[in-house]
């Protein structure tokens, strides 16, 4: 029993640290003048399916790594958790997202213009729609690598 608990603890710590470097690698990989997106859809009970997840990387390799993480670890029962975990990475907060309660956000758009470990001329935005009345909960992560004149444009 002790070994099992120890293995679970190690696994949890690894999961906690894996998303942040993947997100930062994705943001830093964007070519100058381009924007790339990741679209994560999760649903607890929709279209006759339980625990449904879909992540679109638009065939961009660094985004595929983030999608692989989300397809394994994203929450379907509380999709706000996925947003909270992403915010924690970008805000450099050393914390796990709330476990016994959760942030209730319906339509949210956040823009990060300065993230530790991400190039200064890269902006990251998060859009979240919990789809209370239509569709499925969706998290969109966009990274834009501004041109050399930014922010003087």
């Amino acid at each position: 029993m002790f070994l099992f608990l120890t293995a679970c603890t190690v696994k949890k710590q690894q999961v906690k640290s894996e998303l942040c470097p993947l997100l930062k690698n994705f943001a830093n990989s964007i070519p100058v003048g381009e924007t790339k997106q990741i679209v994560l859809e999760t649903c607890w009970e929709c279209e006759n399916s339980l625990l449904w997840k879909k992540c679109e990387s638009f065939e961009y390799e660094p985004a595929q790594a983030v999608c692989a993480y989300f397809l394994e670890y994203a929450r379907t029962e509380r999709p706000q958790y996925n947003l909270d975990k992403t915010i924690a990475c970008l805000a450099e907060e050393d914390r796990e997202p709330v476990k016994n309660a959760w942030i209730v956000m319906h339509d949210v758009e956040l823009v990060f213009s300065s993230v530790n470990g991400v190039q200064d001329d890269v902006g990251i935005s998060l859009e979240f729609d919990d789809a209370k009345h239509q569709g499925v909960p969706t998290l969109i992560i966009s990274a834009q690598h501004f041109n050399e004149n930014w922010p003087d444009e």
Side-chain angles (χ1 to χ4, degrees), residues 63-74:
Q64 290 172 348
V66 176
C67 277
Y69 173 89
F70 278 133
L71 289 174
E72 186 167 350
Y73 299 110

Side-chain angles (χ1 to χ4, degrees), residues 1-14:
M1 184 68 162
F2 175 73
L3 292 176
F4 175 73
L5 293 174
T6 304
C8 288
T9 303
V10 171
K11 180 75 170 169
K12 180 179 176 184
Q13 290 170 348
Q14 291 170 344

